[in-house]
Amino acid sequence: MLAFLLSTFSLSAHYLLNDHLISPKAGDVIEKIGTELQRKTGINAYVIASNDRLKKRANLYDYVKKYAKKLSEPWIAIVFLPNDKRIGILVSNPELKSYYRDGEVKKFAIEILSSADSNSQQSKYDVAMVQAYSELADEIATKKGVTLKNTIKSEGHWFLTLVNWLVYLGAVLVFWVYFGRPLYRRIRYGKQQ
């Protein structure tokens, strides 16, 4: 039954080309965003998530050729290969690179994938790809002068930044309490016997 449901989902997916790395629920979010993006901008955005392993220094463009029949032009694709620890953004036309900031889009995925928390690997893959895809769609829409309703708005990303700063602040405080303060007292008051 599960195999039937997964195969049914993969047949209806247009913007997610997936080796069952991304859950159907996350896939639905990607499909909603992708459909709205295509309707409003004419640009197709894809997520290609695969268990494939590439040869060392293999070109992602050569790899994406195997999906060529499934990609409608013009397209931008996020390629996610966790077994190779690779994530890339490819375009069908070099002019499309001006529609997004490569580093910003990847940042959302990389921060989530590299976080040390108790979430499952599946959850990390889902959240990372949805966040990166949403950011990509928002940037394309902004460049085209339209607004998308189905994306995860950038205003929500302030929370991730806040958490990062709190972690850094905590590390500084721990360092001060255990190392800096005792060293300061020793220097200031001298070694007491």
Side-chain angles (χ1 to χ4, degrees):
M1 181 69 167
L2 180 62
F4 171 74
L5 289 174
L6 289 173
S7 65
T8 303
F9 170 74
S10 64
L11 291 175
S12 67
H14 180 71
Y15 297 107
L16 174 62
L17 307 171
N18 187 15
D19 281 349
H20 307 295
L21 288 171
I22 310 301
S23 73
K25 195 170 186 175
D28 288 343
V29 174
I30 289 170
E31 291 299 319
K32 262 189 202 173
I33 295 170
T35 301
E36 182 184 13
L37 179 69
Q38 201 289 323
R39 185 172 34 86
K40 291 184 174 180
T41 67
I43 296 173
N44 297 290
Y46 297 94
V47 172
I48 300 171
S50 176
N51 285 314
D52 291 344
R53 285 195 174 272
L54 302 182
K55 292 180 182 175
K56 207 171 195 176
R57 299 180 193 216
N59 186 330
L60 284 178
Y61 276 102
D62 291 337
Y63 173 74
V64 170
K65 286 178 184 175
K66 84 180 212 179
Y67 296 99
K69 292 181 181 177
K70 297 178 182 180
L71 305 177
S72 301
E73 292 204 17
W75 57 261
I76 299 174
I78 297 173
V79 181
F80 176 52
L81 304 170
N83 290 334
D84 282 346
K85 295 185 170 129
R86 287 182 79 175
I87 185 166
I89 303 174
L90 306 178
V91 295
S92 62
N93 179 340
E95 293 173 13
L96 293 173
K97 288 186 177 188
S98 68
Y99 283 74
Y100 66 93
R101 295 168 296 167
D102 189 73
E104 282 298 305
V105 174
K106 287 182 189 177
K107 179 180 85 171
F108 288 104
I110 292 168
E111 283 181 359
I112 293 165
L113 292 170
S114 64
S115 66
D117 57 27
S118 61
N119 289 324
S120 69
Q121 190 175 39
Q122 178 68 58
S123 296
K124 285 184 179 185
Y125 289 173
D126 289 349
V127 172
M129 288 303 101
V130 169
Q131 287 277 14
Y133 189 79
S134 180
E135 179 64 21
L136 175 66
D138 274 337
E139 289 192 16
I140 294 168
T142 299
K143 182 76 171 181
K144 286 283 198 171
V146 298
T147 303
L148 301 177
K149 294 179 182 172
N150 291 310
T151 58
I152 300 163
K153 300 299 175 208
S154 295
E155 294 87 36
H157 299 307
W158 67 268
F159 182 72
L160 290 175
T161 305
L162 177 65
V163 169
N164 282 338
W165 279 104
L166 289 175
V167 168
Y168 296 138
L169 181 61
V172 168
L173 287 173
V174 166
F175 179 79
W176 173 253
V177 168
Y178 288 103
F179 301 108
R181 188 171 162 212
L183 184 62
Y184 171 76
R185 285 185 166 189
R186 227 179 247 169
I187 291 170
R188 183 164 185 195
Y189 299 113
K191 191 172 181 180
Q192 295 179 0
Q193 298 191 34

